[in-house]
Amino acid sequence: MKFSKKATLGLLFSLTLIVAGCGQKSASDANTSSTGTSVPVESEAAKLNVLVSFYPMYEFTKNVAGDLADVHTLVPAGMEPHDWEPTPQDIASIEKADVLVYNGAGMESWIDQVIGSLSNASLIQVEASKGINLLEGGEYDHHHEDSEATEHDHDHDHANEATTEEHDHDHDHSDEATAEEQHDHDAEVELEAEAGHDHDHRGLDPHVWLSPALAVKEVRNIEAGLAQAAPEHAEQFKQNADAYVAQLESLDQDFKAAVTDSKRKDFITQHAAFGYLAKEYGLQQVPIAGLSPEQEPSAAQMASVIDFAKEHQVKTIFFETLVSSKVSETIASEVGAKTAVLNPIEGLTEEEIAAGMDYICVMRKNLEALKLALNE
């Protein structure tokens, strides 16, 4: 018998209270951080106990928190986070945390139900993508002649979030959508803002961290959340954030310089993770599949990408690290192209962890891969 994701989560919530009597390991106690260390259920009393949803949130939060917080990741290393769901022990760990950092924009489909199940009224919830205009995923026209994207005004408040002082579910909604041109292949429409704890972001693109410029905004939201949780350390959090933002801004400038005089502006990716990066730097993402890397492209989508690759003489088909590269390899073989990695950084592999890789390192590898592909 199959159960819906909602029903499964509901059952997990009911088990949370009795999970302490179970000896089964879960993501929250067998989970590893980017350094591969074990995640304890409770942190040292002298430090903030911070839980984050998946790897980019860990990287950003750890760089802001420094030694002032124990930061642990819910989604285990090497696991694709799109469809991950928390176990009862994970929920129990969140209940004990001081701060919960998550990306938002629909990346964590479980977040509303988990937050709704908690009794920890003092938990600081930091939605890192708060205030960022979100692109709508939707269906992609691989020829991009009439491609449309939608911006969603994501500026809404949550209880105990980084920039809020109190619960307020009475937020204003915009009644009109405003259309504006974006490059020569996209159009964006600013939609009404979501309110309160309603995080219904189905169809929106959550991959904001892949734009270094937007990663800066996520870091600043995390800084605000940590400062709210430990105001006595606000100045240190700011100093740490400033130092990390300087690295992100340098990365942003390097991306801008690399694509300015490139021979081509289009690139083919395994799934639609690079919309924000493409928009930021005037590029054209041509995804084989949709927003989820587990989504199988239809025969028509495959044919469309193959036609695009042949027509535009694409020499590189990108794949990623946490999912099978079979589809990318099939298309590459069909059009006589090679394959290369363009990493959406949804998690690090064990090999990347062992090599000491981090967000900045992986993004610089992405930059080099793009430079080669855009100048073939």
Side-chain angles (χ1 to χ4, degrees):
M1 179 181 296
K2 292 185 177 180
F3 293 92
S4 68
K5 185 176 291 187
K6 184 174 181 180
T8 302
L9 278 174
L11 179 60
L12 290 178
F13 300 151
S14 67
L15 291 174
T16 301
L17 295 178
I18 63 172
V19 73
C22 303
Q24 181 180 347
K25 288 198 172 188
S26 70
S28 58
D29 63 4
N31 176 27
T32 56
S33 69
S34 68
T35 58
T37 56
S38 176
V39 174
V41 174
E42 296 189 42
S43 302
E44 298 174 23
K47 296 183 178 182
L48 284 176
N49 179 11
V50 181
L51 287 180
V52 303
S53 55
F54 69 118
Y55 175 70
M57 300 302 101
Y58 173 88
E59 175 81 8
F60 299 164
T61 302
K62 188 63 179 174
N63 274 280
V64 176
D67 295 330
L68 297 174
D70 288 325
V71 183
H72 306 298
T73 312
L74 288 165
V75 178
M79 180 174 288
E80 214 294 317
H82 278 269
D83 295 321
W84 178 87
E85 292 181 7
T87 68
Q89 284 183 314
D90 293 323
I91 298 169
S93 293
I94 296 172
E95 187 75 69
K96 297 175 183 178
D98 299 311
V99 181
L100 172 64
V101 179
Y102 61 99
N103 182 77
M107 186 66 188
E108 300 89 351
S109 60
W110 45 268
I111 193 68
D112 285 329
Q113 286 185 290
V114 168
I115 289 176
S117 75
L118 302 177
S119 60
N120 180 2
S122 64
L123 176 68
I124 302 297
Q125 303 161 29
V126 182
E127 185 176 19
S129 64
K130 178 181 169 63
I132 293 175
N133 287 330
L134 300 177
L135 298 174
E136 184 170 318
E139 293 296 324
Y140 286 84
D141 176 358
H142 294 298
H143 293 86
H144 287 259
E145 294 171 350
D146 298 306
S147 172
E148 290 188 350
T150 303
E151 275 192 1
H152 181 83
D153 184 0
H154 192 44
D155 189 11
H156 61 277
D157 295 332
H158 306 283
N160 291 319
E161 271 193 322
T163 57
T164 61
E165 295 296 330
E166 60 183 358
H167 244 100
D168 182 2
H169 291 287
D170 299 321
H171 306 291
D172 293 330
H173 293 263
S174 171
D175 293 325
E176 297 181 357
T178 305
E180 58 182 6
E181 291 187 358
Q182 174 209 312
H183 305 303
D184 62 349
H185 60 278
D186 282 332
E188 294 179 347
V189 180
E190 189 172 12
L191 298 179
E192 63 180 9
E194 298 284 345
H197 286 293
D198 183 6
H199 297 72
D200 187 7
H201 298 316
R202 288 169 295 180
L204 295 178
D205 185 348
H207 302 88
V208 294
W209 64 89
L210 288 169
S211 160
L214 297 183
V216 168
K217 295 184 178 181
E218 294 207 298
V219 167
R220 291 304 186 188
N221 282 339
I222 292 168
E223 175 200 342
L226 294 179
Q228 183 181 344
E232 67 276 16
H233 297 306
E235 183 56 35
Q236 186 61 58
F237 293 143
K238 183 180 186 305
Q239 290 178 18
N240 293 345
D242 288 347
Y244 191 60
V245 163
Q247 295 183 59
L248 293 173
E249 289 176 340
S250 175
L251 180 65
D252 175 49
Q253 291 303 312
D254 289 344
F255 265 94
K256 288 177 180 176
V259 304
T260 298
D261 298 319
S262 61
K263 293 180 180 178
R264 61 188 313 127
K265 299 298 182 184
D266 51 63
F267 60 99
I268 296 178
T269 63
Q270 185 158 333
H271 87 286
F274 296 89
Y276 294 99
L277 183 146
K279 177 178 181 291
E280 189 69 37
Y281 304 115
L283 301 176
Q284 180 180 348
Q285 172 189 230
V286 182
I288 299 170
L291 292 176
S292 171
E294 300 297 337
Q295 177 184 337
E296 289 289 338
S298 67
Q301 287 173 312
M302 291 278 285
S304 177
V305 174
I306 289 170
D307 289 346
F308 182 94
K310 289 179 177 179
E311 179 183 348
H312 295 82
Q313 299 182 332
V314 176
K315 303 299 183 183
T316 300
I317 308 297
F318 285 114
F319 68 98
E320 54 199 65
T321 52
L322 296 183
V323 295
S324 172
S325 61
K326 187 178 298 184
V327 172
S328 294
E329 291 170 352
T330 298
I331 291 177
S333 176
E334 181 71 22
V335 303
K338 65 179 181 295
T339 59
V341 171
L342 197 62
N343 195 333
I345 324 182
E346 293 174 348
L348 296 183
T349 65
E350 296 292 349
E351 292 75 17
E352 288 169 333
I353 293 170
M357 300 291 288
D358 59 17
Y359 172 89
I360 298 290
C361 293
V362 176
M363 283 298 289
R364 289 203 173 277
K365 290 186 71 173
N366 282 345
L367 174 58
E368 292 306 312
L370 272 174
K371 283 168 64 175
L372 290 174
L374 295 176
N375 288 284
E376 292 176 321

